[in-house]
């Protein structure tokens, strides 16, 4: 069964450092998403990406965040200067179309010290 | 965007049927209803999606009354491994749709 893969599974970084989280969505999917989940809290939408551009973003997704699909297979989330409150599980998801089933990766746990 | 309301938590026992109801009073004509399951430290996983009446797959059933203002996820004969958080999402394929997760329903299945 096709799946969304994410790397790294866990990253520990110092406050102020740049972090890149990587995702390989399912190959024939057209919509890509990043979500995050702070420990004990709900899954929060960050950004959606379609046709090589951001289609929607939340208030959380400020100038410190960026996304890219550099090579047609990877979908990356960059945090330019991490803060303590960025510590969370980050989930990548993809879908065939809007309103269709989301397929999530296993997540990347980011710990900012 | 239709807002959803679910119970915060539910308890059940192995072998029982569990029904989790979600209210979505302002659901729009084009909106579908989708349920996801999430285990700790894992990404949400799609369970079932429906528009009206009843949908059944190998995992669950989804009951949607005629007015579509609510839906009920039914899990037959739950086991300990069904302990998870269950989310109800409402949205359509047109326009701007951001799959938004609420707090969900934390189901605990006891031996």
């Amino acid at each position: 069964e096709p799946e969304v893969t994410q790397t790294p599974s866990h990253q520990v970084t110092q406050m102020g450092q740049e972090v890149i989280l990587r995702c390989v969505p399912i190959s024939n999917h057209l919509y890509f998403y990043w979500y995050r989940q702070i420990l004990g809290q709900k899954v929060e939408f960050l950004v959606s990406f379609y046709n090589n551009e951001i289609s929607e973003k939340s208030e959380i997704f400020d100038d410190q965040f960026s996304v890219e699909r550099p090579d047609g297979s990877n979908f990356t989330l960059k945090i330019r200067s991490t803060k303590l409150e960025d510590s969370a599980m980050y989930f990548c998801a993809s879908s065939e179309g809007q309103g269709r089933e989301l397929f999530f990766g296993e997540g990347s746990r980011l710990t900012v010290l | 965007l239709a807002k959803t309301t679910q119970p915060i938590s539910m308890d059940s026992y192995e072998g029982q049927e569990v029904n989790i109801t979600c209210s979505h009073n302002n659901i729009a004509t084009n909106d579908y209803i989708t349920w996801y399951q999430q285990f700790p430290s894992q990404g949400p996983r799609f369970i079932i999606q429906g528009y009206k009446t009843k949908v059944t797959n190998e995992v669950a059933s989804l009951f949607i009354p005629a007015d579509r203002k609510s839906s009920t996820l039914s899990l037959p004969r739950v086991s300990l491994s069904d302990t998870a958080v269950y989310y109800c999402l409402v949205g359509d394929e047109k326009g701007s749709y951001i799959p938004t997760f609420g707090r969900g329903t934390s189901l605990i299945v006891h031996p």
Side-chain angles (χ1 to χ4, degrees):
Chain A
E1 183 179 311
E3 60 180 17
V4 175
T5 57
Q6 290 187 240
T7 54
S9 57
H10 190 192
Q11 181 157 355
V12 181
T13 190
Q14 295 291 325
M15 190 168 56
Q17 295 295 306
E18 176 183 283
V19 161
I20 297 176
L21 305 178
R22 291 181 169 79
C23 169
V24 179
I26 295 172
S27 61
N28 64 332
H29 285 187
L30 301 177
Y31 289 80
F32 313 112
Y33 307 84
W34 282 102
Y35 287 80
R36 79 171 185 191
Q37 187 172 33
I38 295 170
L39 187 64
Q41 298 189 25
K42 63 182 183 180
V43 178
E44 299 176 292
F45 170 79
L46 293 178
V47 66
S48 60
F49 193 87
Y50 169 72
N51 200 26
N52 285 319
E53 61 183 22
I54 291 173
S55 49
E56 300 287 341
K57 61 182 181 179
S58 71
E59 291 177 354
I60 302 169
F61 194 87
D62 60 22
D63 292 344
Q64 292 298 312
F65 291 88
S66 63
V67 288
E68 200 177 35
R69 188 159 160 81
D71 55 13
S73 62
N74 290 286
F75 179 50
T76 62
L77 175 69
K78 182 193 292 186
I79 309 174
R80 267 181 264 283
S81 177
T82 51
K83 303 187 283 286
L84 295 176
E85 54 265 37
D86 292 328
S87 293
M89 185 76 101
Y90 288 80
F91 293 109
C92 173
S94 68
S95 69
E96 290 181 317
Q98 274 191 304
R100 303 296 298 275
E101 170 187 355
L102 295 178
F103 289 79
F104 283 82
E106 290 296 307
S108 294
R109 180 174 299 284
L110 175 65
T111 302
V112 182
L113 302 175
Chain B
L1 193 67
K3 184 183 174 193
T4 60
T5 304
Q6 306 174 231
I8 294 173
S9 63
M10 292 183 70
D11 288 88
S12 184
Y13 292 89
E14 283 189 291
Q16 289 189 334
E17 177 183 82
V18 170
N19 296 308
I20 306 175
T21 297
C22 178
S23 297
H24 27 81
N25 289 319
N26 59 340
I27 190 169
T29 304
N30 294 325
D31 285 346
Y32 282 76
I33 300 154
T34 311
W35 285 79
Y36 289 85
Q37 173 193 56
Q38 186 183 26
F39 298 114
S41 299
Q42 294 187 25
R45 186 173 69 99
F46 171 86
I47 301 174
I48 198 166
Q49 184 180 69
Y51 182 80
K52 62 179 179 180
T53 63
K54 177 184 174 183
V55 180
T56 298
N57 61 22
E58 64 277 6
V59 176
S61 294
L62 179 59
F63 297 92
I64 305 168
D67 66 6
R68 305 200 326 122
K69 292 185 184 299
S70 67
S71 58
T72 300
L73 174 73
S74 181
L75 305 172
R77 297 179 300 282
V78 294
S79 63
L80 297 178
S81 62
D82 292 316
T83 294
V85 179
Y86 292 82
Y87 300 96
C88 163
L89 279 69
V90 173
D92 69 13
E93 296 184 6
K94 299 179 177 57
S96 171
Y97 169 54
I98 301 170
T100 302
F101 290 80
R103 292 263 174 215
T105 298
S106 176
L107 172 66
I108 298 175
V109 180
H110 302 275

